[in-house]
Amino acid sequence: MPTDAERTWEAVLRLHAALLPRLDLAVTRHGGMPLTWYDVLLELRDGGGRLTMGQLAERVVLSRTRVSRLVDEMVGAGLVAREPNPGDRRSAYAVLTTEGRRRFLAAARVYLPAIEREFEAVDGDVLADVADGLQALLADIAP
């Protein structure tokens, strides 16, 4: 019989696997960018508009190589700029551009209602309890 920890982890993974493709489709179709780009723009915005590639990789939970490729794509689209890190020649900053901020806000107008639609059939008290429980878990296990 699975432990509560195992059941919780399985539920988180299954929920993520069920919702991610649908949310990605909504953002890609109607927000004009893949969800991975949105995630990078969100983290840059929340990080003050500028993060090292290593910081960005940790925040979006992707490898540095994958983040570097995503940032290259986004530089080509004008959403992000790369700037050298004067304190460490081996690293660079990803910087949110004005166009990136504009496109992020436009995609958020699609993404946030899509999230709401996915959970509209769930009782509000249940959602609040799950959110509170997951936040407590994060506080207990995150460094």
Side-chain angles (χ1 to χ4, degrees):
M1 175 164 260
T3 66
D4 287 341
E6 292 166 348
R7 289 178 48 239
T8 300
W9 183 240
E10 180 181 359
V12 166
L13 291 176
R14 286 179 183 256
L15 183 62
H16 184 267
L19 294 181
L20 190 64
R22 297 194 318 232
L23 293 171
D24 184 44
L25 183 62
V27 173
T28 300
R29 269 194 189 156
H30 306 291
M33 70 180 65
L35 191 54
T36 51
W37 286 21
Y38 180 90
D39 192 22
V40 167
L41 296 175
L42 171 67
E43 293 303 337
L44 285 172
R45 188 209 57 183
D46 288 353
R50 174 188 185 118
L51 294 168
T52 66
M53 299 302 284
Q55 291 168 323
L56 186 57
E58 288 175 10
R59 291 174 79 142
V60 297
V61 194
L62 293 171
S63 71
R64 284 185 189 209
T65 302
R66 180 67 181 126
V67 167
S68 184
R69 278 190 235 128
L70 273 176
V71 167
D72 287 344
E73 293 171 13
M74 296 171 76
V75 166
L79 306 180
V80 175
R82 274 189 191 259
E83 291 181 0
N85 181 348
D88 181 358
R89 291 180 179 233
R90 295 170 294 148
S91 74
Y93 287 102
V95 180
L96 183 61
T97 64
T98 301
E99 178 65 8
R101 186 175 306 279
R102 185 189 71 72
R103 296 267 311 274
F104 166 76
L105 293 173
R109 288 192 289 276
V110 171
Y111 185 43
L112 299 176
I115 292 169
E116 293 296 325
R117 280 191 304 277
E118 291 296 337
F119 289 102
E120 68 189 357
V122 181
D123 179 83
D125 291 336
V126 171
L127 281 178
D129 288 346
V130 170
D132 291 344
L134 289 173
Q135 291 296 330
L137 280 172
L138 281 171
D140 288 346
I141 64 174

